[in-house]
Amino acid sequence: MPRRGKKAKTPLSEEEQMLLYQQKLLAEEEMAKKKERLLSQFLKDKLAKEEHNSALNLNKINTQWRTVLREVKTKELLKDIEILSQTFERVVDCKDNVIKSLAKDLSEAEEQYAHALRSHLHNIDQLLALQRYRLSVLEENYNMELETLTKEFETERKAIIDQHENEIHYLQDVFMAMEQNYIDAEYESKLEFQSMWDDLKNKNLEEKHFLRMQLENVVEDLWRRFQSALKNYTDATEDQKIAFEALKVKDEKSSKEIEAQMKKIQKLQDSVIVLKGKIMAHSRESDEQNQCVRDDKELVLVQLRKLKAQRTHGREIAQENLVNLTLESNATLKALRKIVSKGEKILKLAEICRKFETEEEKVLPFYSSTLTPEEQEEMEETGPEEVTEELAKVIADYRGLENFWKRYNKVKLEQLSLQHRHAQLSDINGKLREMLKQYLDGISVSDEVLSQLNPLFIVNHRSNLPQPLSTPTSQPGDKKPATTHNIIEAAHVVSHIL
């Protein structure tokens, strides 16, 4: 058997070379990062040491400087004290002179006050004598007028008493006749009222039973809504409650005033009883007026029914508005919660993205322009479109978002470039995987490889690839069939030939 020679070193493939190159790059990057870390740590330690030394030296300088400043300040304060003592003595002398002049003025003012007081008392005595004389004259006049008035009052009183007795007898007769008429009319009206009351009672009981069954469910729902509305109302009307307490105190004061007025009213009622006798005399004339009042009453009742109908309609509208308001408020609260959650998500994402920002993006977060000078010249040559007022308003509203859109567009462009790069790398990876699979299938033998088409597997000068069929007659409209090629390695052919 011939000795086998040593195996020659197999050359590395392109993929292995790429892997080795990438490993070297990673090792170099790690070494550079370690150096940067060591350098930064050394600089940090040195900076901390320098800061400590600078703080210590600064404290020493400050202590020495303070002693110098204290000495200078003491000298200045001594000079200020001497100056202030001199000024104080001068001010005290001035104040003594002022006090002496004021004492002289005070003595003169007291003499003037005593003279004025004596003249004033003399004038008051004269005025009192004059006033006493006037009072005596007025008292005499008052007594004379009082005597004349008492005489006139007695004569008028006798005439009024006689007339009053005559009118009382007349009114008693009229009262008896009217009372009889009223009794008959009251009996008839009671009979009519009783019949109408029975009919209305039966009708109302039926309607009440029907409405009670219909409104119980509605009242329950309304009670819940009213409870929530009452809570909101109590919260909103705390200030009004305080005002109500103030008005309550005011009401107590007014109630006392009302009691005083009620006493006055009682006195007036006594006078009204006297005047009722005269009113009964005019009762015949008031019948026609009563008829007019009854007609007016019917009209007022009709208007009252209309107002009640309007009130019920208004309550229904208010209830509908309250329901719509609650629904809209719930919808707005949900929308606001969604906006708040969305804003919180955006802030969280912004904090996460801030960690991945490069140094350049942290220093210059907003780029100036991505257009080249040639593209900018082309944009200027094309000319801007005519800007309308509405478009100008919209642009002015969104002008504050220019920096946001710059960053957004920058991120979007980077995302698109990364997607494009990812697609390219995935295509290259797929091609490399196919090449590696073909290579491994060609150098290995297994059931799976034998079952598939393999151009390297040849038995009796034949591969397992499908042979091309006889080409049918082609027509001008038909497409040409795809041609297949059998690939045979030259080394295999040579070994069989030789």
Side-chain angles (χ1 to χ4, degrees), residues 18 38 51 60 209 327:
M18 289 174 69
L38 290 171
E51 287 178 353
K60 290 178 180 179
H209 182 70
L327 294 173

Side-chain angles (χ1 to χ4, degrees), residues 85-97:
S85 64
Q86 293 174 2
T87 54
F88 178 74
E89 290 175 357
R90 189 170 59 253
V91 170
V92 167
D93 294 334
C94 294
K95 293 286 176 89
D96 291 334
N97 295 325

Side-chain angles (χ1 to χ4, degrees), residues 31-56:
M31 290 296 291
K33 287 180 180 179
K34 287 180 181 179
K35 289 179 181 179
E36 288 178 357
R37 288 172 187 167
L38 290 171
L39 183 61
S40 63
Q41 186 65 32
F42 175 73
L43 291 173
K44 286 179 181 178
D45 295 336
K46 190 174 181 181
L47 181 63
K49 190 175 181 181
E50 288 293 331
E51 287 178 353
H52 179 70
N53 292 328
S54 63
L56 184 62

Side-chain angles (χ1 to χ4, degrees), residues 437-451:
K437 186 178 179 183
Q438 288 178 4
Y439 176 75
L440 292 173
D441 291 341
I443 63 174
S444 63
V445 177
S446 63
D447 295 334
E448 185 179 358
V449 172
L450 293 173
S451 63

